[in-house]
Amino acid sequence: MRYTDIFKTWMVLCLALINFGICYVELDDEAEFQAEVEPTVTIAILARNAASNLPWFFGGIENLNYPKHRIDIWISTDHNEDDTESVLKTWIDAMKPLYHNINLTIGESSRYVDEAGEHLGHWSEMRYDHVIRLRQEALDLARHRWSDYLLMIDSDQFIHDRNLLRHLISQDKPVIAPMMNSTSLYTNFWGAVTEDGFYKRSDDYLDILERFKTGTFNVPMVHSIFLINLRHEVTRHLQYYPPHPAYVAAPDDIIQFSFSARYNNVPMFVTNARYYGSLIPPVEKGPKFLQLVADYGLYIRLVHIHEELVLEPSKHVPLPPPKFDNKLGFDEIYLINLERRPDRRIMMEQALAELGIEYKYFPAVDGRQLNETYLDQLGVKQLEGYLDPYHKRPMKMGEIGCFLSHYFIWKEMEEKGYNRILIFEDDVRFRVNFIRYFYEMMAEADRHINGWDLLYIGRKIMQNNEDFVINSRHLVYPGYTYWTLSYAVTRSGLKKLLAQDPIAKMLPVDEYLPIMFGAHTNKEWLEKFFPRDVTALSANPLFVEPLKYIGEEGYVSDTEDSLPITESKQEASSVEDKVQSNSKDSQYSTSDSMSNKQPPPNPTGHTEL
């Protein structure tokens, strides 16, 4: 017998004797022991019609700070009308060697029988029943594999916090959900339920949602993403199917599970102690369902960019290609950015890349580099009698730089013979469904208003009760308006704007534009410009809004943080050379020059669905 066989036999015998208390082995005090291994986790994923967002969903799963060899992944997909199955297979082929196990179940490819004829996204009784059984299958599988924890997660969740799993485990709760951010008042917990187990708004729901209160809260319902501690004795009674005999409501997976928890005295919790990620809210059923799902996923990625957060896609599945004209039907799209604001340029590069928009970087005229000698050479003169409506002061150099940035773009449009251009400043955030609504709006403008000149995409509305364009869903006739966050100009509008020789009687650009369509409230200024015949329109609701409002952390205004024209003592600069460089066809950009006229309070970003 070999020495190794003798040694193995001795070890088996010794372990047996130790078990019966017969043999005692003294261990070396200096013996080193490995740290305890992490608990095992099963991640259960349901994915249907999710192809457009799976790269970012799986990016969140891959980036979890947790050893992959301690994770089993169970995935079920069926009744898809997009490429969900192929994306899942691609990801699994790449990632299966890294995880303890990945199991994929693919069901039927057609719609449910009782879903036929209904709009895509409809929850039929057969669909509810099928999903309930799938969730029970995942729960049974995790128990059968002796997993310590089960993370239930739907494919419309985007994980940002890499330590999400470790943080939830550390809470040591039977069932706990990370509160996910949303574009609406919808999220993945209910603050209260009715006696029948249906949704009820609790008094503290908004406080928790908006994080006015932070911590871990006992709630009657969590869904979409939550962790079950299978080591807790109380959780062994949890079930989706069959429903408890006392359950009498219609089939519904989240309501049945919540009922099971309450009936068996299993407390549920939600924590909002950190930012964990975001979810897609319920999407309108109909022929545009898949596009709406993709649009909301895109909007969530834009929010992360605007908030300087990272939402990385998986490197193992292809990203969906843009499905629209990358210049949105314009001859050119300009992005104005101060060269000393590279952070904004980077942010806008990322946002416009997500939107699939090709644009030209246009370096803004920097008010800090202007002086009166250079302005005299250009022929810049402040409008006689102009004083800021709020501060009763002349124009500031930043405001002049802002006007010149827009003016030089108008001049380039004239020189190149463009028919339509679109301008973005670099301090904007985009509305959800921006691309889809933008195309709808432009079609309405061309259909209903022949020969429009100016179209605001983002601005500050100074007058209420603006009239909608007849038969239009997205367009109004703007009243007195501040800000030039984003707007479109046609060839006819350009001629009208330049015909006034506006730099010879300059006032802030966001005062000049409403003068030219006759909506300004200062009659004295109005009389100094004629004709005032610009045909102006505006998106309603607006498609972009300011990145930051006054009072918000990180707010900066380069128009306000500069000297008035009569106090500028700076030396002559090379601004003219920089202006000439604007004609170079750069593909990328950012801007920093919004007229700052007492903006409204910062909105929460939430809207009721």
Side-chain angles (χ1 to χ4, degrees):
M1 182 180 292
R2 292 180 300 174
Y3 174 79
T4 53
D5 294 332
I6 295 172
F7 179 75
K8 290 180 179 178
T9 303
W10 179 84
M11 285 295 295
V12 171
L13 177 61
C14 188
L15 289 171
L17 293 174
I18 290 172
N19 190 48
F20 287 100
I22 299 173
C23 180
Y24 172 76
V25 178
E26 184 175 355
L27 298 174
D28 186 347
D29 291 339
E30 296 181 359
E32 294 183 0
F33 296 92
Q34 290 184 341
E36 291 185 2
V37 296
E38 286 85 349
T40 55
V41 179
T42 292
I43 299 179
I45 300 167
L46 293 185
R48 184 192 184 195
N49 292 323
S52 61
N53 293 313
L54 282 177
W56 294 271
F57 168 80
F58 278 127
I61 298 294
E62 291 172 28
N63 291 329
L64 285 172
N65 179 22
Y66 203 85
K68 291 179 171 56
H69 69 278
R70 303 293 290 171
I71 296 176
D72 278 358
I73 295 182
W74 174 92
I75 306 174
S76 180
T77 188
D78 51 61
H79 301 89
N80 292 299
E81 300 187 28
D82 65 1
D83 295 329
T84 294
E85 290 181 17
S86 62
V87 175
L88 291 174
K89 290 176 182 177
T90 300
W91 185 81
I92 291 171
D93 287 344
M95 299 302 295
K96 194 164 188 176
L98 302 181
Y99 288 92
H100 181 260
N101 184 56
I102 301 180
N103 177 263
L104 171 64
T105 301
I106 299 176
E108 297 180 19
S109 58
S110 59
R111 294 190 186 186
Y112 296 94
V113 173
D114 60 346
E115 194 181 28
E118 296 287 349
H119 290 308
L120 187 59
H122 171 68
W123 276 86
S124 67
E125 186 171 337
M126 289 182 67
R127 182 181 179 187
Y128 271 119
D129 182 71
H130 181 60
V131 169
I132 289 167
R133 291 171 186 265
L134 286 176
R135 295 198 190 278
Q136 184 63 43
E137 180 182 331
L139 184 55
D140 291 341
L141 178 69
R143 287 168 173 160
H144 178 73
R145 292 178 175 174
W146 296 101
S147 293
D148 295 309
Y149 294 90
L150 169 62
L151 180 69
M152 287 280 197
I153 180 169
D154 296 339
S155 58
D156 55 2
Q157 310 294 304
F158 300 88
I159 296 173
H160 167 74
D161 186 353
R162 298 186 178 205
N163 292 309
L164 175 143
L165 200 48
R166 291 186 182 276
H167 182 66
L168 294 182
I169 289 173
S170 73
Q171 300 301 297
D172 193 27
K173 301 295 185 185
V175 180
I176 185 168
M179 191 192 79
M180 305 297 275
N181 281 34
S182 172
T183 60
S184 70
L185 297 181
Y186 173 89
T187 188
N188 60 314
F189 79 93
W190 293 1
V193 295
T194 65
E195 292 183 1
D196 298 329
F198 294 101
Y199 177 80
K200 180 181 178 182
R201 174 71 60 82
S202 63
D203 292 337
D204 61 352
Y205 179 81
L206 290 178
D207 288 339
I208 297 172
L209 179 71
E210 302 285 359
R211 289 187 170 87
F212 296 129
K213 294 170 59 176
T214 58
T216 301
F217 306 92
N218 187 198
V219 294
M221 163 78 79
V222 294
H223 59 88
S224 300
I225 174 172
F226 56 90
L227 186 77
I228 304 175
N229 187 341
L230 298 176
R231 300 189 297 186
H232 267 284
E233 175 67 18
V234 294
T235 62
R236 69 187 181 92
H237 301 293
L238 290 173
Q239 66 183 49
Y240 284 93
Y241 186 86
H244 192 278
Y247 181 81
V248 294
D252 185 298
D253 55 319
I254 65 174
I255 294 178
Q256 285 183 206
F257 189 70
S258 172
F259 181 89
S260 174
R262 291 196 306 280
Y263 191 89
N264 292 289
N265 297 315
V266 182
M268 289 181 166
F269 296 87
V270 66
T271 175
N272 68 352
R274 310 153 69 123
Y275 172 65
Y276 301 101
S278 298
L279 56 73
I280 296 177
V283 172
E284 179 185 351
K285 305 171 185 65
K288 296 182 179 179
F289 176 81
L290 292 179
Q291 184 58 52
L292 286 172
V293 170
D295 287 347
Y296 272 101
L298 170 59
Y299 180 69
I300 287 171
R301 300 196 296 276
L302 291 173
V303 169
H304 279 76
I305 291 170
H306 295 148
E307 299 299 330
E308 300 182 2
L309 300 171
V310 177
L311 194 63
E312 295 180 359
S314 169
K315 299 179 177 63
H316 306 290
V317 292
L319 300 181
K323 297 181 179 179
F324 37 81
D325 174 12
N326 56 14
K327 283 195 177 179
L328 306 178
F330 289 86
D331 297 309
E332 189 60 88
I333 296 176
Y334 292 93
L335 182 63
I336 306 174
N337 164 248
L338 281 172
E339 291 180 317
R340 59 183 165 86
R341 296 291 183 208
D343 54 332
R344 291 186 177 182
R345 176 172 181 168
I346 292 171
M347 179 204 70
M348 289 298 291
E349 283 177 350
Q350 294 173 342
L352 292 170
E354 285 285 358
L355 289 164
I357 296 175
E358 179 185 339
Y359 60 97
K360 178 177 179 179
Y361 174 50
F362 198 92
V365 176
D366 193 338
R368 291 184 183 179
Q369 298 180 10
L370 292 176
N371 59 52
E372 295 190 32
T373 300
Y374 174 71
L375 297 180
D376 288 343
Q377 293 173 354
L378 289 178
V380 173
K381 295 181 181 179
Q382 181 179 271
L383 179 70
E384 183 180 353
Y386 172 79
L387 288 176
D388 180 88
Y390 293 96
H391 305 292
K392 307 304 178 185
R393 54 155 175 78
M395 289 182 70
K396 287 193 170 186
M397 286 297 189
E399 292 173 318
I400 295 172
C402 176
F403 192 106
L404 288 176
S405 300
H406 289 263
Y407 177 78
F408 290 141
I409 289 176
W410 300 344
K411 293 296 288 184
E412 180 170 299
M413 178 184 180
E414 179 184 47
E415 293 165 3
K416 294 197 172 185
Y418 292 151
N419 291 312
R420 290 186 179 187
I421 65 167
L422 177 63
I423 297 174
F424 289 110
E425 294 182 341
D426 69 348
D427 46 2
V428 304
R429 63 173 67 232
F430 295 89
R431 175 190 175 189
V432 66
N433 302 323
F434 173 83
I435 294 294
R436 183 165 65 90
Y437 288 147
F438 188 90
Y439 275 123
E440 290 179 5
M441 176 195 67
M442 294 305 299
E444 287 183 356
D446 292 337
R447 183 167 59 249
H448 299 308
I449 305 297
N450 184 31
W452 61 269
D453 298 317
L454 174 75
L455 201 167
Y456 284 103
I457 314 302
R459 62 189 174 111
K460 181 185 177 184
I461 301 170
M462 301 296 291
Q463 294 178 330
N464 296 323
N465 304 318
E466 294 177 334
D467 294 330
F468 267 87
V469 173
I470 296 175
N471 298 322
S472 170
R473 177 186 175 193
H474 298 290
L475 291 171
V476 295
Y477 295 103
Y480 185 31
T481 291
Y482 274 157
W483 303 349
T484 51
L485 298 174
S486 178
Y487 62 95
V489 180
T490 64
R491 185 75 176 173
S492 60
L494 172 75
K495 291 179 179 179
K496 296 173 184 178
L497 293 175
L498 292 179
Q500 299 289 331
D501 191 16
I503 63 172
K505 42 185 176 180
M506 184 183 288
L507 70 173
V509 66
D510 61 348
E511 303 277 16
Y512 178 59
L513 294 182
I515 284 175
M516 289 304 296
F517 55 84
H520 206 289
T521 57
N522 189 312
K523 303 303 181 183
E524 182 180 346
W525 298 351
L526 277 172
E527 291 174 358
K528 295 180 179 180
F529 296 88
F530 188 83
R532 301 179 295 273
D533 56 351
V534 167
T535 301
L537 303 171
S538 175
N540 187 312
L542 298 168
F543 290 176
V544 300
E545 62 179 6
L547 187 64
K548 298 285 184 181
Y549 286 90
I550 285 180
E552 282 192 281
E553 183 179 354
Y555 172 80
V556 175
S557 170
D558 287 289
T559 56
E560 290 295 308
D561 298 339
S562 61
L563 295 174
I565 187 170
T566 56
E567 298 177 15
S568 175
K569 305 297 182 183
Q570 298 180 19
E571 297 180 357
S573 66
S574 57
V575 174
E576 187 172 4
D577 293 335
K578 293 185 178 182
V579 170
Q580 294 299 323
S581 70
N582 290 347
S583 62
K584 297 178 181 178
D585 291 331
S586 173
Q587 289 272 343
Y588 305 99
S589 85
T590 315
S591 128
D592 197 358
S593 45
M594 176 183 71
S595 289
N596 175 21
K597 304 288 198 324
Q598 307 297 325
N602 179 33
T604 63
H606 294 296
T607 54
E608 281 279 12
L609 288 178

